[in-house]
Amino acid sequence: MNASANTPDAPADASPSDSNSASTSPAPELFTWEFATDPYPAYAWLREHAPVHRTRLPSGVEAWLVTRYADARQALADARLSKNPAHHDEPAHAKGKTGIPGERKAELMTHLLNIDPPDHTRLRRLVSKAFTPRRVAEFAPRVQELTDHLIDRFAEKGSADLIHDFAFPLPIYAICDLLGVPREDQDDFRDWAGMMIRHGGGPRGGVARSVKKMRGYLAELIHRKRQALPEHPTPGEDLISGLIRASDHGEHLTENEAAAMAFILLFAGFETTVNLIGNGMYALLTHPEQRAALQQSVAAGETGLLETGVEELLRYDGPVELATWRFATEPVVLGGQHIAPGDPVLVVLAAADRDPERFDRPDTLDLTRRDNQHLGYGHGIHYCLGAPLARLEGQTALATLLTRLPDLQLAGDSADLRWRGGLIMRGLRTLPVEFTPGR
């Protein structure tokens, strides 16, 4: 999920409190621009010296950071760590700073990332029908069509910004199609989503305004679709129509729940894929031997290396840096630390997925890696519902770029690239590339 709006645009220098003082080596600074560019050395220090670590975030909220793989898996599946923000023992200065800006006022809180069983079980069961392997496979031709269409727009130019021109619009249009947003309205969704990313590390007001506009549109769209809903479902029925049908046939799905579900699927479903494509392509461009092997495999019509490669890109520099917020509902001992009821807990997926206790040569990109149970899409009952679609989009995007633009390379120095300041997500602001035009 995108909760990057939880931090200021220029991350504050927030030195972590020394909750594990066994080591005398200085603790790294977190949430600076330098940290955002390469957080992995700091995470390595935390794994070794303070694996469950209480710190003050730039927003002023104090939270526990969990960095070791074993602790991370435990925390992600621990029912005592609730997703419901009502369990946060938040001081006045931290009010409303642990969720998506504007979701409270827009009555969009009742979505999968904010609730626990049994409501979570009920809502997830309804939405999971849209992400079955069969449904995702049926959607593959549309993803390929969108991919080719976007590349067509810049293929003659010889240069592009892969974030703005490709990685960003692809998942937006894909999730809009899945939800059933009419084509003529999809550019509005692109604008609102763009506001969320552009202001992802800045003032929360810009994101809140986009959330409000999206909520109003979804309420109207749900009303229109309910009025025109056929008596029986049609093959490939869109997700919003399916949610309406469920709420009208005994599943007790309220209009607010339907709107919140559509909202979070868009909000959570697009930036993860933007970052998967952007981070993944950047990793390939900066690891030429790995990129050449994948390019050769794709050219030969093989799929094995593409599949393991995307999983490795998810592990090596994945789109979600920290799992979304959890709150202790009772005393919890995690990694030797005593976590009090009401305390926020943030599982650092990026740190866990480079834990040398779990992964061989964790700082090495190896597209052939087989033993790769990474946590890039979470673990437990909150495992990312849209992961099959994101994998499809990632595999399609990378394979098509490497095929159609075989001499693709970075335009400029990688040191000039900037990462979006944020707490939950990890992604590049831009990714300028150049290539031989006209392919």
Side-chain angles (χ1 to χ4, degrees):
M1 185 201 81
N2 175 8
S4 55
N6 292 334
T7 59
D9 188 47
D13 290 346
S15 297
S17 59
D18 193 7
S19 58
N20 297 63
S21 56
S23 171
T24 57
S25 60
E29 283 191 311
L30 306 180
F31 314 119
T32 64
W33 279 124
E34 293 77 14
F35 170 84
T37 299
D38 184 10
Y40 296 103
Y43 289 149
W45 189 97
L46 289 176
R47 273 196 313 268
E48 182 176 356
H49 301 292
V52 179
H53 185 66
R54 188 175 176 89
T55 189
R56 184 182 299 276
L57 305 172
S59 63
V61 177
E62 290 194 3
W64 293 93
L65 302 182
V66 180
T67 54
R68 286 181 180 168
Y69 184 89
D71 295 333
R73 275 180 64 95
Q74 176 189 335
L76 291 171
D78 196 324
R80 298 170 298 174
L81 298 179
S82 168
K83 298 293 293 174
N84 190 338
H87 292 292
H88 183 198
D89 185 18
E90 54 186 343
H93 72 274
K95 284 284 184 188
K97 293 183 178 179
T98 60
I100 301 169
E103 65 178 353
R104 292 176 188 263
K105 289 184 179 180
E107 298 183 321
L108 291 170
M109 291 290 289
T110 52
H111 56 69
L112 289 175
L113 296 180
N114 279 345
I115 57 176
D116 304 313
D119 287 336
H120 176 272
T121 307
R122 172 176 61 90
L123 294 180
R124 188 177 176 102
R125 184 181 68 249
L126 293 176
V127 185
S128 64
K129 299 172 185 176
F131 296 100
T132 62
R134 178 180 176 181
R135 185 73 183 272
V136 170
E138 290 172 349
F139 200 56
R142 175 58 178 159
V143 173
Q144 185 66 64
E145 178 186 1
L146 286 169
T147 300
D148 283 322
H149 173 67
L150 291 169
I151 294 176
D152 286 344
R153 289 181 174 182
F154 58 78
E156 295 291 336
K157 299 178 183 178
S159 64
D161 173 5
L162 280 188
I163 302 299
H164 180 269
D165 297 328
F166 182 72
F168 175 69
L170 174 60
I172 283 289
Y173 293 139
I175 199 70
C176 280
D177 280 355
L178 194 68
L179 288 171
V181 176
R183 298 281 171 87
E184 62 269 21
D185 295 341
Q186 291 185 6
D187 283 338
D188 288 336
F189 266 74
R190 176 176 175 167
D191 291 343
W192 295 329
M195 180 70 71
M196 292 173 185
I197 283 190
R198 285 193 299 274
H199 289 272
R204 294 164 65 85
V207 180
R209 284 191 293 273
S210 294
V211 169
K212 183 178 180 180
K213 290 178 181 178
M214 195 177 292
R215 173 65 173 91
Y217 175 84
L218 287 171
E220 179 186 349
L221 182 62
I222 288 171
H223 176 73
R224 294 203 318 259
K225 285 184 176 289
R226 177 172 271 124
Q227 296 296 106
L229 196 69
E231 183 178 355
H232 300 289
T234 57
E237 182 175 68
D238 66 74
L239 183 52
I240 290 180
S241 295
L243 292 173
I244 295 169
R245 193 178 300 281
S247 65
D248 291 345
H249 290 80
E251 288 284 1
H252 308 295
L253 188 70
T254 68
E255 181 173 308
N256 276 348
E257 287 175 333
M261 189 63 65
F263 163 74
I264 202 59
L265 287 172
L266 177 73
F267 200 72
F270 83 90
E271 194 175 359
T272 51
T273 306
V274 175
N275 295 347
L276 169 57
I277 297 170
N279 298 5
M281 202 65 225
Y282 175 66
L284 293 175
L285 291 173
T286 53
H287 293 78
E289 291 184 3
Q290 295 288 307
R291 177 255 185 92
L294 180 58
Q295 206 157 2
Q296 183 177 358
S297 176
V298 169
E302 300 166 353
T303 61
L305 189 61
L306 180 63
E307 292 170 358
T308 61
V310 166
E311 297 309 304
E312 174 68 348
L313 294 170
L314 285 163
R315 183 203 68 82
Y316 179 76
D317 198 11
V320 184
E321 190 164 343
L322 283 76
T324 50
W325 296 85
R326 285 165 167 77
F327 308 95
T329 58
E330 58 183 87
V332 176
V333 177
L334 190 61
Q337 291 295 315
H338 292 265
I339 298 172
D343 278 1
V345 175
L346 290 166
V347 177
V348 188
L349 305 178
D353 279 343
R354 290 211 187 184
D355 188 344
E357 293 295 318
R358 175 58 185 84
F359 299 99
D360 180 45
R361 299 177 299 119
D363 294 321
T364 298
L365 180 68
D366 178 8
L367 301 185
T368 67
R369 191 183 298 269
R370 295 283 180 179
D371 181 16
N372 196 1
Q373 293 184 336
H374 63 77
L375 301 177
Y377 284 126
H379 172 66
I381 65 170
H382 290 283
Y383 182 84
C384 178
L385 194 63
L389 177 61
R391 287 185 167 99
L392 169 66
E393 292 172 340
Q395 291 175 16
T396 304
L398 296 178
T400 308
L401 284 170
L402 293 174
T403 301
R404 293 191 56 184
L405 309 173
D407 60 350
L408 187 75
Q409 60 184 354
L410 285 174
D413 193 333
S414 61
D416 294 331
L417 296 177
R418 294 291 177 265
W419 297 80
R420 287 193 299 276
L423 184 64
I424 300 297
M425 306 298 290
R426 173 164 172 79
L428 287 161
R429 291 177 177 268
T430 60
L431 184 56
V433 295
E434 55 191 12
F435 46 87
T436 300
R439 289 186 183 273

mmCIF file of all heavy atoms in Angstrom, residues 129-148:
data_model
loop_
_atom_site.group_PDB
_atom_site.id
_atom_site.type_symbol
_atom_site.label_atom_id
_atom_site.label_comp_id
_atom_site.label_asym_id
_atom_site.label_seq_id
_atom_site.Cartn_x
_atom_site.Cartn_y
_atom_site.Cartn_z
ATOM 1 N N LYS A 129 -11.966 -12.913 -5.646
ATOM 2 C CA LYS A 129 -12.487 -13.498 -6.887
ATOM 3 C C LYS A 129 -11.934 -12.795 -8.122
ATOM 4 O O LYS A 129 -11.901 -13.372 -9.202
ATOM 5 C CB LYS A 129 -14.024 -13.415 -6.886
ATOM 6 C CG LYS A 129 -14.675 -14.185 -5.738
ATOM 7 C CD LYS A 129 -16.166 -13.911 -5.660
ATOM 8 C CE LYS A 129 -16.799 -14.584 -4.452
ATOM 9 N NZ LYS A 129 -18.246 -14.247 -4.313
ATOM 10 N N ALA A 130 -11.512 -11.554 -7.958
ATOM 11 C CA ALA A 130 -10.989 -10.801 -9.092
ATOM 12 C C ALA A 130 -9.528 -11.107 -9.369
ATOM 13 O O ALA A 130 -8.999 -10.696 -10.409
ATOM 14 C CB ALA A 130 -11.157 -9.302 -8.849
ATOM 15 N N PHE A 131 -8.862 -11.822 -8.452
ATOM 16 C CA PHE A 131 -7.419 -12.037 -8.594
ATOM 17 C C PHE A 131 -7.057 -13.516 -8.634
ATOM 18 O O PHE A 131 -5.942 -13.899 -8.290
ATOM 19 C CB PHE A 131 -6.677 -11.342 -7.446
ATOM 20 C CG PHE A 131 -6.825 -9.848 -7.464
ATOM 21 C CD1 PHE A 131 -7.738 -9.221 -6.637
ATOM 22 C CD2 PHE A 131 -6.071 -9.073 -8.331
ATOM 23 C CE1 PHE A 131 -7.895 -7.847 -6.661
ATOM 24 C CE2 PHE A 131 -6.214 -7.697 -8.352
ATOM 25 C CZ PHE A 131 -7.133 -7.077 -7.525
ATOM 26 N N THR A 132 -7.987 -14.346 -9.052
ATOM 27 C CA THR A 132 -7.687 -15.762 -9.212
ATOM 28 C C THR A 132 -6.710 -15.925 -10.381
ATOM 29 O O THR A 132 -6.643 -15.081 -11.286
ATOM 30 C CB THR A 132 -8.954 -16.564 -9.508
ATOM 31 O OG1 THR A 132 -9.520 -16.093 -10.750
ATOM 32 C CG2 THR A 132 -9.984 -16.411 -8.388
ATOM 33 N N PRO A 133 -5.924 -17.007 -10.385
ATOM 34 C CA PRO A 133 -5.004 -17.223 -11.515
ATOM 35 C C PRO A 133 -5.715 -17.186 -12.867
ATOM 36 O O PRO A 133 -5.185 -16.647 -13.844
ATOM 37 C CB PRO A 133 -4.422 -18.602 -11.211
ATOM 38 C CG PRO A 133 -4.495 -18.726 -9.715
ATOM 39 C CD PRO A 133 -5.762 -18.023 -9.331
ATOM 40 N N ARG A 134 -6.924 -17.733 -12.919
ATOM 41 C CA ARG A 134 -7.655 -17.741 -14.192
ATOM 42 C C ARG A 134 -8.023 -16.326 -14.614
ATOM 43 O O ARG A 134 -7.864 -15.954 -15.788
ATOM 44 C CB ARG A 134 -8.921 -18.592 -14.050
ATOM 45 C CG ARG A 134 -9.768 -18.613 -15.311
ATOM 46 C CD ARG A 134 -11.017 -19.475 -15.122
ATOM 47 N NE ARG A 134 -11.870 -19.426 -16.290
ATOM 48 C CZ ARG A 134 -13.036 -20.076 -16.394
ATOM 49 N NH1 ARG A 134 -13.454 -20.842 -15.391
ATOM 50 N NH2 ARG A 134 -13.772 -19.973 -17.493
ATOM 51 N N ARG A 135 -8.511 -15.525 -13.674
ATOM 52 C CA ARG A 135 -8.913 -14.150 -14.007
ATOM 53 C C ARG A 135 -7.695 -13.322 -14.431
ATOM 54 O O ARG A 135 -7.772 -12.534 -15.386
ATOM 55 C CB ARG A 135 -9.602 -13.511 -12.792
ATOM 56 C CG ARG A 135 -10.166 -12.115 -13.060
ATOM 57 C CD ARG A 135 -11.403 -12.179 -13.924
ATOM 58 N NE ARG A 135 -11.908 -10.851 -14.251
ATOM 59 C CZ ARG A 135 -12.766 -10.163 -13.501
ATOM 60 N NH1 ARG A 135 -13.205 -10.693 -12.363
ATOM 61 N NH2 ARG A 135 -13.205 -8.979 -13.885
ATOM 62 N N VAL A 136 -6.580 -13.492 -13.736
ATOM 63 C CA VAL A 136 -5.370 -12.752 -14.097
ATOM 64 C C VAL A 136 -4.883 -13.186 -15.472
ATOM 65 O O VAL A 136 -4.479 -12.349 -16.293
ATOM 66 C CB VAL A 136 -4.284 -12.951 -13.030
ATOM 67 C CG1 VAL A 136 -2.946 -12.384 -13.503
ATOM 68 C CG2 VAL A 136 -4.691 -12.272 -11.726
ATOM 69 N N ALA A 137 -4.930 -14.503 -15.774
ATOM 70 C CA ALA A 137 -4.504 -14.996 -17.087
ATOM 71 C C ALA A 137 -5.380 -14.414 -18.189
ATOM 72 O O ALA A 137 -4.896 -14.067 -19.280
ATOM 73 C CB ALA A 137 -4.538 -16.517 -17.108
ATOM 74 N N GLU A 138 -6.671 -14.283 -17.921
ATOM 75 C CA GLU A 138 -7.586 -13.699 -18.911
ATOM 76 C C GLU A 138 -7.265 -12.223 -19.165
ATOM 77 O O GLU A 138 -7.553 -11.697 -20.244
ATOM 78 C CB GLU A 138 -9.032 -13.834 -18.433
ATOM 79 C CG GLU A 138 -9.558 -15.261 -18.437
ATOM 80 C CD GLU A 138 -10.922 -15.378 -17.770
ATOM 81 O OE1 GLU A 138 -11.355 -14.387 -17.130
ATOM 82 O OE2 GLU A 138 -11.550 -16.452 -17.876
ATOM 83 N N PHE A 139 -6.659 -11.578 -18.193
ATOM 84 C CA PHE A 139 -6.350 -10.156 -18.286
ATOM 85 C C PHE A 139 -5.009 -9.910 -18.988
ATOM 86 O O PHE A 139 -4.699 -8.786 -19.362
ATOM 87 C CB PHE A 139 -6.328 -9.556 -16.872
ATOM 88 C CG PHE A 139 -6.496 -8.072 -16.829
ATOM 89 C CD1 PHE A 139 -7.587 -7.457 -17.412
ATOM 90 C CD2 PHE A 139 -5.563 -7.277 -16.175
ATOM 91 C CE1 PHE A 139 -7.745 -6.080 -17.360
ATOM 92 C CE2 PHE A 139 -5.707 -5.909 -16.116
ATOM 93 C CZ PHE A 139 -6.809 -5.299 -16.714
ATOM 94 N N ALA A 140 -4.214 -10.970 -19.188
ATOM 95 C CA ALA A 140 -2.869 -10.827 -19.752
ATOM 96 C C ALA A 140 -2.854 -10.129 -21.114
ATOM 97 O O ALA A 140 -2.000 -9.262 -21.353
ATOM 98 C CB ALA A 140 -2.191 -12.187 -19.826
ATOM 99 N N PRO A 141 -3.758 -10.458 -22.053
ATOM 100 C CA PRO A 141 -3.717 -9.753 -23.344
ATOM 101 C C PRO A 141 -3.932 -8.248 -23.206
ATOM 102 O O PRO A 141 -3.312 -7.469 -23.943
ATOM 103 C CB PRO A 141 -4.858 -10.409 -24.136
ATOM 104 C CG PRO A 141 -5.018 -11.761 -23.522
ATOM 105 C CD PRO A 141 -4.742 -11.564 -22.064
ATOM 106 N N ARG A 142 -4.757 -7.832 -22.272
ATOM 107 C CA ARG A 142 -4.981 -6.397 -22.076
ATOM 108 C C ARG A 142 -3.729 -5.733 -21.517
ATOM 109 O O ARG A 142 -3.371 -4.628 -21.932
ATOM 110 C CB ARG A 142 -6.176 -6.177 -21.135
ATOM 111 C CG ARG A 142 -6.431 -4.720 -20.766
ATOM 112 C CD ARG A 142 -6.676 -3.861 -21.992
ATOM 113 N NE ARG A 142 -6.966 -2.472 -21.618
ATOM 114 C CZ ARG A 142 -6.828 -1.437 -22.449
ATOM 115 N NH1 ARG A 142 -6.417 -1.632 -23.694
ATOM 116 N NH2 ARG A 142 -7.104 -0.223 -22.038
ATOM 117 N N VAL A 143 -3.042 -6.399 -20.603
ATOM 118 C CA VAL A 143 -1.798 -5.847 -20.066
ATOM 119 C C VAL A 143 -0.768 -5.709 -21.179
ATOM 120 O O VAL A 143 -0.062 -4.695 -21.277
ATOM 121 C CB VAL A 143 -1.254 -6.737 -18.923
ATOM 122 C CG1 VAL A 143 0.121 -6.269 -18.484
ATOM 123 C CG2 VAL A 143 -2.216 -6.714 -17.738
ATOM 124 N N GLN A 144 -0.676 -6.717 -22.056
ATOM 125 C CA GLN A 144 0.267 -6.627 -23.179
ATOM 126 C C GLN A 144 -0.118 -5.505 -24.127
ATOM 127 O O GLN A 144 0.747 -4.763 -24.626
ATOM 128 C CB GLN A 144 0.303 -7.959 -23.928
ATOM 129 C CG GLN A 144 1.341 -8.016 -25.042
ATOM 130 C CD GLN A 144 2.758 -7.938 -24.525
ATOM 131 O OE1 GLN A 144 3.220 -8.821 -23.805
ATOM 132 N NE2 GLN A 144 3.474 -6.864 -24.869
ATOM 133 N N GLU A 145 -1.406 -5.342 -24.366
ATOM 134 C CA GLU A 145 -1.879 -4.266 -25.242
ATOM 135 C C GLU A 145 -1.510 -2.897 -24.671
ATOM 136 O O GLU A 145 -1.017 -2.015 -25.390
ATOM 137 C CB GLU A 145 -3.401 -4.380 -25.409
ATOM 138 C CG GLU A 145 -4.018 -3.286 -26.273
ATOM 139 C CD GLU A 145 -5.538 -3.340 -26.291
ATOM 140 O OE1 GLU A 145 -6.122 -4.220 -25.607
ATOM 141 O OE2 GLU A 145 -6.151 -2.497 -26.962
ATOM 142 N N LEU A 146 -1.743 -2.706 -23.382
ATOM 143 C CA LEU A 146 -1.392 -1.441 -22.734
ATOM 144 C C LEU A 146 0.116 -1.205 -22.794
ATOM 145 O O LEU A 146 0.576 -0.089 -23.057
ATOM 146 C CB LEU A 146 -1.860 -1.457 -21.278
ATOM 147 C CG LEU A 146 -3.356 -1.293 -21.021
ATOM 148 C CD1 LEU A 146 -3.676 -1.610 -19.562
ATOM 149 C CD2 LEU A 146 -3.810 0.124 -21.365
ATOM 150 N N THR A 147 0.891 -2.252 -22.540
ATOM 151 C CA THR A 147 2.349 -2.140 -22.558
ATOM 152 C C THR A 147 2.847 -1.679 -23.919
ATOM 153 O O THR A 147 3.645 -0.740 -24.033
ATOM 154 C CB THR A 147 2.983 -3.497 -22.182
ATOM 155 O OG1 THR A 147 2.545 -3.873 -20.878
ATOM 156 C CG2 THR A 147 4.497 -3.424 -22.202
ATOM 157 N N ASP A 148 2.373 -2.336 -24.977
ATOM 158 C CA ASP A 148 2.808 -1.970 -26.327
ATOM 159 C C ASP A 148 2.351 -0.565 -26.699
ATOM 160 O O ASP A 148 3.100 0.195 -27.328
ATOM 161 C CB ASP A 148 2.262 -2.984 -27.336
ATOM 162 C CG ASP A 148 3.038 -4.301 -27.321
ATOM 163 O OD1 ASP A 148 4.268 -4.255 -27.165
ATOM 164 O OD2 ASP A 148 2.413 -5.365 -27.444
#
